[in-house]
Amino acid sequence: SKALTYSAQNRIYKVWGLLDYQLLFTIDHPQVNEIKISPDTMLLILDRDIGEDTVQLRLLNIEDGQLIRDFNQQLKPNVKIDFIEQFNDKLLVKQENEPLRIKDVRDSSVIEVLDFQTPNAFMFLHANQLFLTFHDTSIAVWDSHGAMVTQFDDHTGWHPQIHINNIHVTAQQDTIISYCSQDQQGVVSVSDILTGKVLGKVNVDCSDDPDDVTALLF
């Protein structure tokens, strides 16, 4: 396990080991705009100037900070970037009103996914090579090739925009537990991630406003 810290004063990132709290390495690069973390690697997204048709990316080994690959990702100029996400050895890139592009960083092959709506949030299930998307009150499960593998039977989030504070995925990454809505009442729904089937529901006794439920722990 690792922890990433950032000093806004000197714009330096530090990666720490959580077993002994020792500093593993530092990232001193003034152009780093964002960092994405996967189990084995870190993706550095550098600043992009207005009008540029590429964004510079750097892939680092998360254990020692050594550079694995430095490359430019092709983009459409003057088009807003909805997101750039790292999912194991895949790069997920989406620009406004454009298809989702899934790039394999090993061989640079690209898969385009049409009609992919930009979600409110992601949750990556690295062990199962799947990822969850949260859009408004719905949840979907996708594989690393951009195919939707699961839509849930009855799993409608309570809040208009689902927040991952109200989501729990088990350690086996096969079950999702969420704070949901049913007949205008708050319920905790338990569903199978691979099939979308409901496994069970627990009524939530909210004496006040169900909107007050802002986090779910399991």
Side-chain angles (χ1 to χ4, degrees):
S1 297
K2 309 290 187 296
L4 177 68
T5 61
Y6 175 66
S7 170
Q9 183 175 3
N10 51 28
R11 301 193 68 179
I12 292 179
Y13 294 87
K14 294 183 178 181
V15 178
W16 308 79
L18 292 183
L19 292 178
D20 53 12
Y21 301 103
Q22 294 296 309
L23 177 65
L24 300 178
F25 59 92
T26 62
I27 301 172
D28 185 2
H29 196 304
Q31 290 184 299
V32 173
N33 180 274
E34 193 174 0
I35 292 180
K36 304 291 184 177
I37 298 178
S38 279
D40 300 317
T41 57
M42 299 177 63
L43 179 71
L44 275 57
I45 304 171
L46 304 189
D47 290 331
R48 174 197 182 202
D49 291 333
I50 297 175
E52 283 194 349
D53 61 357
T54 61
V55 60
Q56 187 178 1
L57 306 174
R58 291 186 175 182
L59 200 62
L60 306 182
N61 187 312
I62 200 169
E63 299 296 333
D64 55 17
Q66 291 298 309
L67 180 67
I68 297 174
R69 189 179 177 192
D70 190 345
F71 60 100
N72 289 324
Q73 173 61 37
Q74 193 72 32
L75 298 171
K76 286 197 171 183
N78 301 312
V79 178
K80 174 178 174 281
I81 298 175
D82 285 345
F83 60 81
I84 297 177
E85 296 286 345
Q86 182 191 8
F87 177 43
N88 294 335
D89 53 6
K90 300 293 193 296
L91 190 68
L92 280 60
V93 181
K94 176 79 168 62
Q95 290 183 264
E96 189 175 34
N97 300 320
E98 294 293 325
L100 167 65
R101 292 178 173 86
I102 302 177
K103 179 176 182 177
D104 191 316
V105 298
R106 298 169 302 176
D107 59 16
S108 297
S109 60
V110 177
I111 297 171
E112 284 197 354
V113 183
L114 303 176
D115 300 322
F116 183 90
Q117 290 185 305
T118 299
N120 308 124
F122 288 90
M123 184 178 290
F124 295 100
L125 311 181
H126 296 281
N128 291 337
Q129 293 289 313
L130 300 171
F131 63 93
L132 307 179
T133 57
F134 305 96
H135 187 269
D136 294 333
T137 60
S138 63
I139 306 173
V141 184
W142 306 75
D143 65 19
S144 59
H145 302 290
M148 183 187 294
V149 297
T150 307
Q151 283 186 302
F152 294 95
D153 287 344
D154 185 11
H155 206 103
T156 303
W158 174 267
H159 296 285
Q161 292 189 349
I162 295 177
H163 195 282
I164 58 174
N165 285 350
N166 292 327
I167 302 290
H168 176 81
V169 172
T170 58
Q172 292 78 20
Q173 299 185 353
D174 58 359
T175 305
I176 184 170
I177 305 168
S178 309
Y179 184 53
C180 292
S181 173
Q182 180 175 289
D183 299 327
Q184 299 184 335
Q185 299 294 320
V187 297
V188 174
S189 292
V190 183
S191 297
D192 187 298
I193 286 177
L194 299 180
T195 66
K197 301 298 183 183
V198 176
L199 302 177
K201 293 193 176 186
V202 179
N203 292 326
V204 178
D205 182 14
C206 292
S207 56
D208 297 318
D209 188 348
D211 284 336
D212 290 340
V213 177
T214 57
L216 185 151
L217 300 176
F218 177 79

